Amino acid sequence: MRNVLYPLGPVGANAPPAESTPTVWDRLPNLVYTGVHIGLILALGALGVSLIFGTMGLTNFAHGELITFGALAGFLFNVTVGLPLWLALILAVVVGGAFGWLQDKFFWGWLRRRRTGLIGMMIVSIGLAMVLRYVFLFQFRGGTQQYADYAAQAGVAIGPLLIAPKNLIMDAVAILVLVAVSVALLKTRLGKATRAVSTNPALAAASGIDVDKIIRLIWTIGGALAALSGVMLGMFQGVNFQMGFQILLLVFAAVTLGGLGTAFGALIGSMVVGIVTQVSTLWVPTELKNVGALAALIIILLVRPQGILGRRERIG
């Protein structure tokens, strides 16, 4: 037995012209835009990682779960409670900031007061990430779910690009938030205090800056940014219990590429990672697209080991 295909459409002179296969140049603009879109989502998460590393020196492996927490909080408010997605997003950001504050108040702050070393704290963050991930799995199950609003939108043609309107709104919100945080770091007293703690915590404390208060503020901002990143990622690809874990490697790559502990470096690194992962699918299978970002990371660090905006440090 074998399958036989019979043509059901018009044939001969009445047949419609066959669609040509898209060329590299046809696909490139949309891939670049998608890379920028993903880069903005990564930047929201990477900025929190970079700020926490800059003030505490901690490589937080549980930051991916902060992203997942925000996405699941948005899902709870939007689908379970029935709130509009825009309001669910705002509430998820507030709850994410509160979760970051609580983590530092009752967990990381306690470890700092006990003078736990950075290696020990990093290992604790790995354990915390696993605990949170399986709590999310227990509560929300393992499937991928969609928000009630804007789950599917037809794309709008803008020149060579085909973009869903929700993506343009997400891009605008992400850019506004990133600009606001960047300006706050440069211009406000709290931003200057944050940069002082990042540069030299002991000298900042001697100058009268409450280092613990600044670190707690950074955890709050990092939790809120991670929650916003999680909701936007959920709108882009759906919500599941390990979505933050799945992009954590790209977030770390973006932070390392831009320069550890530098907020603006995290933004630039995120854009590079986002664009490279998408454009690389022109030559490699989609399943291997993250390899392109990691290859770019290795190549740039071979030329500039401190990252794009990182400072050279003397060893020894």
Side-chain angles (χ1 to χ4, degrees):
M1 180 183 293
R2 62 174 181 166
N3 295 326
V4 180
L5 298 178
Y6 294 96
L8 299 178
V11 296
N14 297 323
E19 294 184 1
S20 59
T21 304
T23 65
V24 169
W25 299 110
D26 293 330
R27 296 174 57 198
L28 184 61
N30 282 290
L31 289 175
V32 170
Y33 168 74
T34 304
V36 170
H37 181 68
I38 293 175
L40 290 172
I41 295 174
L42 287 175
L44 293 168
L47 185 55
V49 170
S50 186
L51 289 173
I52 291 170
F53 181 87
T55 52
M56 283 184 61
L58 170 66
T59 304
N60 181 23
F61 281 86
H63 200 81
E65 276 52 55
L66 287 177
I67 294 174
T68 306
F69 179 83
L72 294 177
F75 181 84
L76 180 68
F77 289 126
N78 178 234
V79 177
T80 306
V81 179
L83 298 177
L85 186 54
W86 65 268
L87 181 56
L89 183 148
I90 294 173
L91 291 176
V93 170
V94 173
V95 172
F99 187 48
W101 185 89
L102 288 171
Q103 273 198 39
D104 188 68
K105 175 70 175 179
F106 298 105
F107 191 71
W108 298 111
W110 181 75
L111 290 176
R112 285 198 306 275
R113 288 191 296 273
R114 293 180 60 86
R115 299 187 181 277
T116 305
L118 290 177
I119 299 297
M121 293 177 77
M122 182 183 70
I123 294 173
V124 168
S125 76
I126 297 173
L128 177 63
M130 295 179 67
V131 170
L132 290 174
R133 196 177 312 142
Y134 289 106
V135 168
F136 297 153
L137 172 62
F138 179 77
Q139 292 295 328
F140 291 90
R141 306 307 177 203
T144 298
Q145 304 183 66
Q146 302 292 336
Y147 291 120
D149 302 331
Y150 315 117
Q153 272 191 334
V156 176
I158 304 177
L161 303 177
L162 190 64
I163 307 173
K166 66 177 182 179
N167 290 349
L168 291 175
I169 295 174
M170 283 193 287
D171 294 340
V173 171
I175 290 171
L176 286 174
V177 170
L178 292 170
V179 169
V181 173
S182 301
V183 170
L185 287 174
L186 291 175
K187 300 297 182 181
T188 66
R189 291 182 62 185
L190 285 176
K192 293 176 181 177
T194 300
R195 287 187 286 128
V197 172
S198 177
T199 302
N200 192 324
L203 184 58
S207 303
I209 297 174
D210 189 338
V211 175
D212 271 349
K213 181 179 178 181
I214 295 300
I215 292 176
R216 194 150 298 146
L217 173 67
I218 291 302
W219 272 97
T220 304
I221 294 173
L225 291 173
L228 179 59
S229 175
V231 174
M232 290 186 175
L233 186 62
M235 292 175 66
F236 182 73
Q237 67 177 33
V239 180
N240 65 73
F241 78 99
Q242 57 181 356
M243 54 190 295
F245 171 70
Q246 290 171 340
I247 70 162
L248 185 62
L249 181 61
L250 294 182
V251 170
F252 280 158
V255 172
T256 307
L257 185 60
L260 287 170
T262 61
F264 295 104
L267 305 182
I268 294 175
S270 297
M271 299 307 296
V272 172
V273 168
I275 292 172
V276 169
T277 54
Q278 294 303 308
V279 173
S280 65
T281 59
L282 291 171
W283 301 283
V284 301
T286 304
E287 295 79 6
L288 299 178
K289 63 183 179 180
N290 291 351
V291 173
L294 299 178
L297 171 66
I298 293 171
I299 292 171
I300 292 177
L301 291 184
L302 285 174
V303 178
R304 190 174 174 82
Q306 69 271 32
I308 296 173
L309 295 185
R311 297 187 299 268
R312 290 182 179 272
E313 294 184 6
R314 183 172 179 177
I315 301 176

